[in-house]
Amino acid sequence: MSAETAAPPLILISNDDSIAAPGIAVLIRVMRRLGEVVVVAPAAPQSGMGHAITLSEPLRLDRSPLFEGIEAYTCSGTPADCVKIAKHLVLKGRRPDLVVSGVNHGSNASVNVIYSGTMSAALEAAIEGLPAIGFSLCDFSHEADFSHAEPWIEHVAREALTKGIPAGTALNVNIPKKSADPIVGARVCRQARAKWQEEFDTRQDPYHRPYYWVLGQFLNEEPQAEDTDEWALAHNYVSIVPCQYDFTHHAGRQQLQQAWALQVPGRPTPAEPAQPKPVSPGDYGPANPQG
């Protein structure tokens, strides 16, 4: 097949702010320039859901008419559910060339990636062996201005389509809020070491039962480190952090192996098995814990 007749890239789009969010409309508009677009997004907002999946109730999948000329669906589940149901049911065996999630309203830099529904969709795609990007704009407003972000979204997606993304990796791309100053450029960064310092605002309902609102402040523990996503965003760069779903801390693993006594005192060391025991689907328990 010649370059002139090659099929356009297939791009799967999801998010966590719901299919009605302004950010996903921006992402669809940009991705339409690059290839064929299919959308599977949550029917309702799923921010902060992390990598949750739905097991205790059925999933609903409905066709959405929101985007003219686009095959789009709403899913009753989480962002990770959306990617799973897209791969197995909507695409019917077709393999996306790229999975993109967003554009999220608000930063997903640093430790926020753990809580992010936007990035869970991208990481679910990476688990499935698909190249994936999560896009976020550092502006929580529903009326956020995405105009300055669109060229960067297109540029990063084109780079991913033409040059690839490392296997098992999803890119966490955060774009500064629009300001009077143009974006300086893009930087490949590491995740900043930071945390949320939570506070709980305690109130009472009319029946005198307490309830709580979670508040807090974001604390960057290394504000001077120039190789982090938080530094890049503070200096008006687009930050790009390669993320992986393998949470193993390899240096810590070696330290534990060397320093810890890994046998119960007084018990003989068991012989190593000749071959590792194969993992069977039953080792994971029933697919439906309610069944």
Side-chain angles (χ1 to χ4, degrees), residues 117-166:
T118 300
M119 281 304 296
S120 79
L123 285 166
E124 181 62 35
I127 291 170
E128 296 285 356
L130 304 172
I133 310 171
F135 288 102
S136 301
L137 178 69
C138 297
D139 189 340
F140 287 98
S141 171
H142 191 77
E143 290 76 33
D145 188 342
F146 291 86
S147 60
H148 69 298
E150 289 195 30
W152 287 102
I153 294 168
E154 181 173 349
H155 176 68
V156 171
R158 284 189 186 277
E159 289 289 289
L161 284 168
T162 57
K163 299 175 183 175
I165 294 173

Side-chain angles (χ1 to χ4, degrees), residues 8-269:
L10 176 60
I11 303 172
L12 173 65
I13 295 178
S14 192
N15 74 344
D16 73 347
D17 289 320
S18 88
I19 199 166
I24 198 170
V26 171
L27 198 54
I28 291 168
R29 181 164 65 245
V30 173
M31 292 303 125
R32 291 183 83 165
R33 304 171 197 154
L34 307 183
E36 178 189 354
V37 167
V38 175
V39 178
V40 182
Q46 297 282 336
S47 295
M49 290 298 291
H51 212 98
I53 57 174
T54 303
L55 296 176
S56 59
E57 58 187 50
L59 291 171
R60 307 289 182 183
L61 185 70
D62 296 298
R63 192 73 183 253
S64 172
L66 279 178
F67 310 106
E68 185 177 356
I70 295 291
E71 183 180 358
Y73 301 85
T74 60
C75 173
S76 61
T78 67
D81 289 328
C82 290
V83 174
K84 288 178 180 291
I85 208 166
K87 176 181 182 292
H88 292 283
L89 298 180
V90 174
L91 296 177
K92 299 179 177 66
R94 300 174 68 200
R95 181 180 176 85
D97 297 287
L98 183 63
V99 179
V100 290
S101 180
V103 177
N104 188 66
H105 293 251
S107 172
N108 274 320
S110 185
V111 72
N112 295 298
V113 69
I114 296 174
Y115 310 108
S116 167
T118 300
M119 281 304 296
S120 79
L123 285 166
E124 181 62 35
I127 291 170
E128 296 285 356
L130 304 172
I133 310 171
F135 288 102
S136 301
L137 178 69
C138 297
D139 189 340
F140 287 98
S141 171
H142 191 77
E143 290 76 33
D145 188 342
F146 291 86
S147 60
H148 69 298
E150 289 195 30
W152 287 102
I153 294 168
E154 181 173 349
H155 176 68
V156 171
R158 284 189 186 277
E159 289 289 289
L161 284 168
T162 57
K163 299 175 183 175
I165 294 173
T169 302
L171 302 184
N172 183 16
V173 178
N174 284 270
I175 302 169
K177 180 179 180 178
K178 188 170 185 179
S179 67
D181 300 319
I183 291 176
V184 178
R187 290 172 66 112
V188 177
C189 312
R190 67 175 174 87
Q191 177 182 317
R193 188 175 65 251
K195 65 180 181 180
W196 283 95
Q197 188 69 52
E198 286 92 359
E199 300 173 4
F200 291 88
D201 182 9
T202 303
R203 304 185 184 188
Q204 285 192 337
D205 66 18
Y207 300 96
H208 305 291
R209 294 174 301 188
Y211 66 95
Y212 310 92
W213 284 104
V214 181
L215 307 173
Q217 294 183 340
F218 182 75
L219 302 177
N220 183 359
E221 297 181 341
E222 44 181 354
Q224 304 306 318
E226 297 184 7
D227 60 341
T228 71
D229 49 6
E230 287 293 332
W231 189 95
L233 292 165
H235 291 80
N236 219 29
Y237 285 90
V238 174
S239 69
I240 304 174
V241 177
C243 299
Q244 61 184 11
Y245 54 85
D246 177 2
F247 283 9
T248 308
H249 185 227
H250 294 282
R253 173 175 171 265
Q254 292 179 352
Q255 181 180 347
L256 291 176
Q257 285 179 326
Q258 294 168 2
W260 280 34
L262 299 178
Q263 297 298 328
V264 176
R267 291 188 181 179
T269 302

